[in-house]
Amino acid sequence: MAEKISVLIPEEEIEKRIREMAEEISRDYAGKEIHLIGILKGSVFIATELAKRITVPVTLDFMSVSSYGNGTESTGRVRVVKDLDESIKDRDVLIVEDIIDSGYTLSNLLTMLGVRQPKSLKLCTLLDKPDRRVVDVKVDYIGFQIPDKFVVGYGLDYAQKYRNLPYVGVVELGEEE
Ligand code: IMP
Ligand code: MG
């Protein structure tokens, strides 16, 4: 089973957009400290690139969640696989995701983390597939809006592969080769 990957967003465009987002975030959080939370594993690439370019103080933590449900469709609930190491109470929290699809994962996460009383809670995603949205989620920073296609690279996987591609590409399933 050979997968062909065609480039959707080249590396240079992603880097440029991350720099722009970091500038915007740095302006919005002027005089504050950002507690950046990356959602494993997909957001590792964007979270670290973003963190390097943010000019206000940044602390980092990571969390891993998985959706309950069967197969490829998300369900309404998420399970915490790895919780945060630190408390977020009274901190300015910025959640970083790789992609927002149905919105289930993030809307659940926002509710779950909101209970822990952060001072503020905002959301940043590299990619957004608005056509797929089922639940409404307010996203504060969006890298790119993309069409309803399955993408890999820059942290995103297909069966755990291709996360390390430096660009975002569309998977085309090959024919018997
Ligand atoms: P949501 O709960 O439907 O918003 O699911 C978001 C999660 O689904 C992301 O964190 C990804 O892990 C996964 N996902 C959604 N679309 C894609 C895609 O095109 N490529 C790879 N993973 C995806
Ligand atoms: Mg993910």
Side-chain angles (χ1 to χ4, degrees), residues 29 32-37 59 63 84 86-95 108-123 140:
Y29 286 86
K32 297 179 181 172
E33 271 186 30
I34 301 175
H35 190 53
L36 208 70
I37 294 179
T59 51
M63 189 168 185
L84 298 170
E86 292 174 45
S87 165
I88 57 168
K89 191 166 192 299
D90 299 328
R91 300 173 92 163
D92 289 307
V93 173
L94 180 59
I95 300 175
N108 278 285
L109 208 56
L110 284 173
T111 309
M112 199 185 293
L113 295 182
V115 173
R116 302 184 190 184
Q117 298 176 289
K119 195 194 290 171
S120 66
L121 187 56
K122 283 191 174 185
L123 205 55
D140 302 280

Side-chain angles (χ1 to χ4, degrees), residues 39-43 65 97-99 105 156-157 163:
I39 308 305
L40 297 171
K41 302 168 187 160
S43 81
V65 295
E97 249 294 30
D98 48 3
I99 190 165
T105 307
L156 291 141
D157 74 300
R163 291 192 195 275

Side-chain angles (χ1 to χ4, degrees), residues 7-115:
V7 178
L8 181 68
I9 312 170
E11 185 174 3
E12 309 76 57
E13 256 185 66
I14 300 175
E15 285 172 359
K16 179 167 167 277
R17 185 72 190 111
I18 291 178
R19 277 199 297 276
E20 289 170 359
M21 290 168 92
E23 278 171 27
E24 191 185 343
I25 291 167
S26 302
R27 272 199 304 276
D28 292 353
Y29 286 86
K32 297 179 181 172
E33 271 186 30
I34 301 175
H35 190 53
L36 208 70
I37 294 179
I39 308 305
L40 297 171
K41 302 168 187 160
S43 81
V44 165
F45 293 77
I46 168 145
T48 54
E49 287 303 307
L50 198 61
K52 285 196 286 183
R53 288 168 176 85
I54 291 173
T55 52
V56 300
V58 171
T59 51
L60 272 172
D61 205 348
F62 291 92
M63 189 168 185
S64 179
V65 295
S66 82
S67 302
Y68 285 106
N70 43 0
T72 53
E73 296 295 317
S74 278
T75 60
R77 297 177 61 205
V78 291
R79 180 170 62 93
V80 176
V81 177
K82 180 220 169 286
D83 207 339
L84 298 170
D85 290 337
E86 292 174 45
S87 165
I88 57 168
K89 191 166 192 299
D90 299 328
R91 300 173 92 163
D92 289 307
V93 173
L94 180 59
I95 300 175
V96 182
E97 249 294 30
D98 48 3
I99 190 165
I100 305 183
D101 191 37
S102 69
Y104 277 131
T105 307
L106 273 168
S107 73
N108 278 285
L109 208 56
L110 284 173
T111 309
M112 199 185 293
L113 295 182
V115 173

Side-chain angles (χ1 to χ4, degrees), residues 5-18 20-21 46 98-100 125-130 142-156 162-172:
I5 317 278
S6 56
V7 178
L8 181 68
I9 312 170
E11 185 174 3
E12 309 76 57
E13 256 185 66
I14 300 175
E15 285 172 359
K16 179 167 167 277
R17 185 72 190 111
I18 291 178
E20 289 170 359
M21 290 168 92
I46 168 145
D98 48 3
I99 190 165
I100 305 183
T125 185
L126 176 64
L127 305 175
D128 177 27
K129 278 189 204 170
I142 296 172
F144 301 90
Q145 289 198 323
I146 60 165
D148 181 11
K149 297 219 162 88
F150 195 83
V151 291
V152 293
Y154 221 88
L156 291 141
Y162 307 119
R163 291 192 195 275
N164 61 317
L165 294 178
Y167 53 85
V168 170
V170 177
V171 183
E172 290 157 20

